[in-house]
Amino acid sequence: MAEDTDAWGQPVGPVVTGWERRPPITPVELTGRYATLEPLDVPRHVDDLHAANGADDGRMWTYLPYGPFPDLLAYRTWMEGFAGDDQLVAFAIVDRRRATAAGVVAYARIVPDDGACEIAHVALSPGVRRSAVATDALALLLRHAFDLGYRRCEWKCDALNEPSRRAACRLGFTYEGTFRQAKVVRGRNRDTAWFAMTDADWPPVRSALDAWLDPANFDAEGRQRRALSALTRQALGR
């Protein structure tokens, strides 16, 4: 965006023509080709999610401030608090082919006045990690936010969490910097890496995601023909 100047010749940001407060993001079911996002419901989803997470050796929780959970009761107790957090809009990621919940994700830091939100609390079970189901679910969140007129969607992670950093770049987010000593998590320092996508980035990223999720992009064994990272880099001219 080009800068304007005010009456004193100081640079100011350009006018956002016609800007109005965006609608709040509320729980709603979102359906894609491989995944459905269902508003997180403890009785409906807890058994599936606990069973799906049971195949993990514990590493999925390393960079999250909670987990692993010793049993179903402990997981249910955590989920009740998570689903009831009024600062989040939490979803279960449902694998459409298996009709079972296999991950959790949420919108966080939703600021309708500024048209900004964050995709957070991404916890994928081994069965959907690095899969079309996971990518489809995250694409659904991006699509929904930008369809509501949001201008910015953020992704944040522990700066040491290399898989999350790679996922952000693969999806088309742009790295914006690292906040040093941002948190203390599990008694350890956490530097937080910030990524974001704007509404100007979204149209080419959406085309790249649609191309990657197209069944024609996968061979008979389900292997991708073109990598999403290559498609998003090309779409954004990187």
Side-chain angles (χ1 to χ4, degrees):
M1 293 182 181
E3 290 179 345
D4 295 330
T5 55
D6 65 11
W8 297 273
Q10 299 173 117
V12 293
V15 173
V16 182
T17 304
W19 176 252
E20 295 181 356
R21 185 180 191 270
R22 295 296 89 198
I25 299 177
T26 56
V28 62
E29 185 169 304
L30 304 170
T31 301
R33 180 173 277 124
Y34 305 100
T36 298
L37 289 173
E38 297 178 353
L40 189 63
D41 179 85
V42 176
R44 182 176 182 181
H45 297 126
V46 67
D47 291 331
D48 279 356
L49 288 169
H50 182 258
N53 294 339
D56 180 77
D57 61 5
R59 72 184 64 196
M60 68 181 286
W61 308 105
T62 297
Y63 298 108
L64 291 169
Y66 40 75
F69 302 95
D71 51 39
L72 178 59
L73 178 60
Y75 187 65
R76 177 187 289 273
T77 300
W78 168 79
M79 186 185 285
E80 287 170 346
F82 183 71
D85 187 336
D86 62 7
Q87 300 301 304
L88 304 173
V89 177
F91 296 90
I93 299 171
V94 176
D95 180 339
R96 292 191 64 192
R97 184 167 63 88
R98 295 185 172 87
T100 57
V104 169
V105 68
Y107 288 114
R109 292 171 56 91
I110 302 165
V111 188
D113 285 343
D114 298 326
C117 64
E118 177 185 352
I119 293 176
H121 298 283
V122 182
L124 303 172
S125 70
V128 295
R129 210 171 292 157
R130 297 183 295 276
S131 72
V133 174
T135 300
D136 197 20
L138 296 168
L140 286 168
L141 289 176
L142 289 166
R143 184 184 299 275
H144 185 57
F146 288 119
D147 282 353
L148 289 173
Y150 278 66
R151 304 173 66 232
R152 173 181 173 86
C153 190
E154 299 172 343
W155 177 288
K156 303 183 185 76
C157 63
D158 189 309
L160 299 175
N161 186 351
E162 192 58 35
S164 185
R165 295 178 69 118
R166 288 197 303 270
C169 292
R170 174 177 175 268
L171 288 163
F173 285 84
T174 297
Y175 172 66
E176 294 187 332
T178 295
F179 283 42
R180 298 175 299 161
Q181 297 187 191
K183 292 185 176 184
V184 177
V185 179
R186 302 182 188 271
R188 297 181 181 273
N189 175 67
R190 171 175 145 160
D191 296 348
T192 297
W194 284 55
F195 299 80
M197 186 183 302
T198 69
D199 54 355
D201 301 326
W202 172 238
V205 169
R206 178 183 58 207
S207 296
L209 285 164
D210 288 345
W212 189 83
L213 290 165
D214 190 314
N217 189 46
F218 300 93
D219 66 17
E221 284 71 47
R223 294 173 297 205
Q224 65 180 1
R225 301 184 191 277
R226 298 185 68 190
L228 180 57
S229 56
L231 291 167
T232 53
R233 282 198 305 268
Q234 181 180 18
L236 294 168
R238 294 175 180 168

